[in-house]
Structure formats: structure tokens, C-alpha cells
Amino acid sequence: MGTQIEPPGDSPSPSTVGADFYSLLDAVDSEFIANDFEIGTYTAKHDFDNHLKVAVFEGVHPSDSLDELAEKTDTHDELAYMAGSTFSRLTNDRDYRAVVRLLFELLHLPQLYHQRGVQRKRLSWLDRAVVATDATNLTLTRSVVIPSERHDTETLRVIQPGEKGLNLNLAARVDGDAKHPLGVTVTAGTTREPTQFDHLQSDVEVFADLDSPIHVFDRGYLDYERFCSLKEREEDFICLLQTDARVDVLEHVQDVEITDDAGTRHVRDERIELAETGEPFRHIVFEDVDGEELAYLTTLSSAYAPVEVMSIYTLRTMIEILFRELKQYTSIETFHSQSLNGVLFEVFCTLIGYVLVEWFRQRHPLRGGVPEAIRRIRARWNQSLRTYG
């Protein structure tokens, strides 16, 4: 994306909220990506930059109709006017994989590597990255046409509102205040979450700043063979385990008591063999004041105290917050498109918008987190950053 150059002799005007929101996106070569996917090959001007910016803005500031979307492009700086019908046509026709590529190039920018490093240092008690894997269902408010793989002009099936919709599968960096998606897949709502685990981890592995992350995931990813495979590859993880899972205790390591105003809780630290895997794991069982137990399975060594293991797993809630913010404050479940390609184009543009919001709020700290940052971006888009605070 191009950078605006001030005319000679003019003093630089202060950046607006809108311009600063897009500043990170401008660092990605969207023209190269457009050419790679033959976007605009048969038109004199494909205007992919503006189409992308409109779709990203729509992700964090949803419109009730295409007419309202068109009005916003006419009144908001940084956007060139785009008719609603043009937005609909381009979104349905242009290969959504171009936006997927752009999202991952965005996530690999040096600026975000630096931001993740700063966030990691703020979590002073932990010196390793933590990656959470989870999925959420996207409810469809309108029907979506699934084309045939052989002939995209033929309809394979139609997903109707009220059906299971789509699953958004994410691997995300959660060891800091800013939550960054690292791996993303979108599947049919009937697809089981564990099938996407390896796909998401392959996305995570290419990040240069994730040399030895700790993976955290819930019982939805329970798979004894996967546990053994991760252990064999020396990849550390923490996962909840059913308290009635069949385990053989190899060694009772220690008991820990946690006492505060709420009462006394007990923690049991053991080495166990899981079912018939023949593999030893660490097993930490937390018993609350009412006698209810929560069991953790992990490959982390005794260098991590039992309470630290539980605290690391608690960071997994950050991906749940990410999902909640996407559903409450963006258009992740509200689409203008009815083709699968168009819906995916909008979903990934919304994810780009979320990353830009996180980038914006870290550069301009304010109370209220992502929700307040989105509110400010919407309300003060055309305002100078000098008046932002």
C-alpha cells in the first residue's frame, strides 16, 4: 500500500485516528499479493487497496446495509467512495486467500514481533511464550452457498440460518495484554475441533519469536496419541484431564496447601502413566474448598511449581476473551455476502481489523481494552491524534 507524501513546503498535518489505524496495514505489500492472486488482471484499475480498507473498516464498524456501508466510505477519511453493489461484487468474486495471505504477512511484520516481545517481558514471572488453541462457532444470519469443488458455478449445498454455521479455529498468543492470532482455519460447524490442531500448529511453528512455546488447550482437544506425539517432539503443553481418567501413579511428588480468606485448597503433584500409553506425564490435581477437583496433564518439568502450571493454563482464558470481543464488537458473525468465498473474505478482513485494533490500543494506551479502542476508533475516525486523548 502506498504512503501519502506531503507537498513540498507544507508542514506535515497531524495524523488522524483513521490513518494511524491503517498505518500497520500500509506496511504490507498488498499490490504484490493482489497480482499474485490475479486480482484486477482484467481491469485497468483493480483498487484492491481501497476494497481491502473498506472491508477491514466494516469488520470493526459494521453497517446494517450496503447502502450504509457506501455512505461511510463517502464520509470517512482514508477511504475512497465505493458503492454497496461494487463492494458486494468484489467481495464475492475476489479470491479470499489473498486476504488470508495478507493477514499472515501482517502478523509477521517486525512491528508486531516487537510488540509481542514487549508484552512478553511485562509478564515477568514467565520467560516463555504461551499459545492457546480453541474454536468457536459462528452463527449465520443468512444462507451461505457452498460451491462444488469441481465447478464453482454449481452449488454443492446451502448452509441455512439455524444450522451449525461455521467454526472459527484459532491458535493465539496469550502471554500478554495483547492477544494475537497466530493460526486460523474456518471449517463447517459440524467439523470436530481436534481435526484442526495440526493445521494450526503448523502456522505457529513458522513464527521466529516462538522458539519454545507452551501450548494450552481444553478437554475438547483430548487425544492421548497427540499428547505422546507432543512429548516425543519435546513440545510442552498443559491440558485439562477428566478427573476420572485412568492413570497409574508412578510417584507422588508433593502436596501443596493454598490458604487465604476463601479457605484452604489442596494441590497434589504426581508423576503418572496415562492409560495404556506407556508414557509418563506430570499430573497436578487441584481440590477446592468444596472438595471439587480439577486435573491438569502437562509435560512441564518440576522447575515449574504446581501453582505456576495452573497459572499458565489460566492464560488460556485470553483466547476466550478474544472470541467474545470478536462476537460482541466486530462483524465476525454478520456478513453482507452469501457466497462462501465472500463470507471468508469478510471473516479474514475482520480478523485483520482486530489485529489493527490491538496494534492501535498498544500505541495509544487507554482504559477499557479492545471494546473502548473500537469505540474510540469509530467515534473519532476523522479526528487528529492530537485531540485523540
Side-chain angles (χ1 to χ4, degrees):
M1 289 184 170
T3 302
Q4 293 183 344
I5 300 175
E6 297 293 335
D10 290 352
S11 58
S13 59
S15 178
T16 63
V17 169
D20 200 70
F21 173 76
Y22 284 134
S23 62
L24 192 66
L25 191 62
D26 289 335
V28 179
D29 191 348
S30 62
E31 288 291 320
F32 178 83
I33 294 173
N35 291 332
D36 207 25
F37 283 90
E38 299 184 341
I39 293 176
T41 300
Y42 303 105
T43 59
K45 182 180 180 182
H46 54 70
D47 200 24
F48 182 60
D49 288 358
N50 188 57
H51 179 207
L52 180 65
K53 285 186 173 181
V54 171
V56 169
F57 181 63
E58 183 66 11
V60 298
H61 194 355
S63 304
D64 292 332
S65 67
L66 288 172
D67 287 341
E68 182 184 339
L69 180 152
E71 290 176 8
K72 287 179 182 176
T73 65
D74 205 25
T75 58
H76 287 68
D77 294 345
E78 307 301 319
L79 302 175
Y81 175 76
M82 178 174 283
S85 58
T86 301
F87 176 84
S88 178
R89 174 175 55 80
L90 295 179
T91 302
N92 282 299
D93 290 349
R94 288 176 168 172
D95 194 333
Y96 82 92
R97 293 175 299 173
V99 186
V100 176
R101 169 87 67 81
L102 195 141
L103 169 64
F104 285 106
E105 291 202 9
L106 183 75
L107 291 171
H108 284 278
L109 287 175
Q111 295 94 318
L112 286 187
Y113 273 84
H114 174 73
Q115 186 186 83
R116 290 192 293 266
V118 170
Q119 289 294 318
R120 183 169 167 179
K121 289 179 180 178
R122 289 177 181 171
L123 204 64
S124 56
W125 60 274
L126 183 63
D127 60 359
R128 294 171 64 184
V130 179
V131 175
T133 302
D134 207 350
T136 190
N137 184 257
L138 303 181
T139 303
L140 299 180
T141 57
R142 58 195 307 178
S143 59
V144 175
V145 176
I146 310 297
S148 167
E149 292 184 3
R150 292 185 177 181
H151 305 286
D152 56 11
T153 57
E154 296 179 3
T155 298
L156 180 64
R157 63 168 297 219
V158 177
I159 303 177
Q160 300 289 354
E163 296 184 15
K164 290 190 176 181
L166 302 172
N167 279 347
L168 177 65
N169 307 278
L170 281 185
R173 183 81 177 267
V174 294
D175 55 304
D177 183 42
K179 309 167 293 295
H180 284 296
L182 301 173
V184 186
T185 66
V186 180
T187 56
T190 54
T191 304
R192 294 179 62 250
E193 296 173 18
T195 63
Q196 299 304 300
F197 187 88
D198 291 337
H199 297 296
L200 295 172
Q201 299 316 306
S202 64
D203 287 337
V204 171
E205 289 170 0
V206 299
F207 282 84
D209 58 340
L210 293 175
D211 52 342
S212 182
I214 301 170
H215 298 276
V216 292
F217 40 89
D218 65 12
R219 294 188 185 98
Y221 295 88
L222 194 66
D223 185 324
Y224 290 0
E225 288 186 10
R226 175 176 295 124
F227 296 160
C228 293
S229 177
L230 289 169
K231 186 174 184 290
E232 184 179 349
R233 299 198 302 265
E234 298 183 342
E235 296 181 23
D236 283 325
F237 71 87
I238 309 171
C239 178
L240 286 183
L241 189 66
Q242 287 96 333
T243 53
D244 61 351
R246 190 163 62 82
V247 302
D248 295 324
V249 178
L250 302 177
E251 179 186 3
H252 179 77
V253 179
Q254 61 177 319
D255 290 319
V256 179
E257 286 190 354
I258 304 172
T259 302
D260 55 23
D261 294 340
T264 299
R265 280 72 55 84
H266 300 273
V267 180
R268 190 168 71 250
D269 191 0
E270 308 169 325
R271 284 183 65 251
I272 58 102
E273 185 177 289
L274 185 61
E276 289 114 10
T277 64
E279 286 289 341
F281 291 91
R282 190 178 181 191
H283 188 230
I284 295 172
V285 182
F286 171 79
E287 181 182 324
D288 65 19
V289 293
D290 298 320
E292 296 291 328
E293 291 188 342
L294 198 61
Y296 302 83
L297 187 77
T298 184
T299 53
L300 289 175
S301 72
S302 57
Y304 294 85
V307 173
E308 289 178 324
V309 173
M310 294 187 294
S311 296
I312 294 170
Y313 183 82
T314 301
L315 293 173
R316 197 195 68 82
T317 58
M318 295 291 285
I319 198 171
E320 296 177 354
I321 294 171
L322 189 159
F323 285 141
R324 185 167 67 247
E325 289 171 345
L326 283 171
K327 290 188 172 185
Q328 290 184 359
Y329 304 106
T330 77
S331 65
I332 199 71
E333 291 185 300
T334 307
F335 314 113
H336 295 292
S337 304
Q338 288 187 279
S339 72
L340 181 61
N341 183 85
V343 166
L344 293 175
F345 194 104
E346 293 187 60
V347 166
F348 281 93
C349 280
T350 298
L351 290 173
I352 290 171
Y354 185 89
V355 172
L356 297 183
V357 169
E358 282 281 21
W359 165 252
F360 182 89
R361 80 178 185 90
Q362 294 300 320
R363 283 161 54 87
H364 308 284
L366 50 86
R367 293 181 179 178
V370 167
E372 180 61 17
I374 289 178
R375 190 188 70 79
R376 296 283 185 98
I377 289 167
R378 292 175 180 175
R380 306 189 182 189
W381 183 265
N382 290 342
Q383 293 184 16
S384 162
L385 282 172
R386 290 178 182 171
T387 62
Y388 170 74

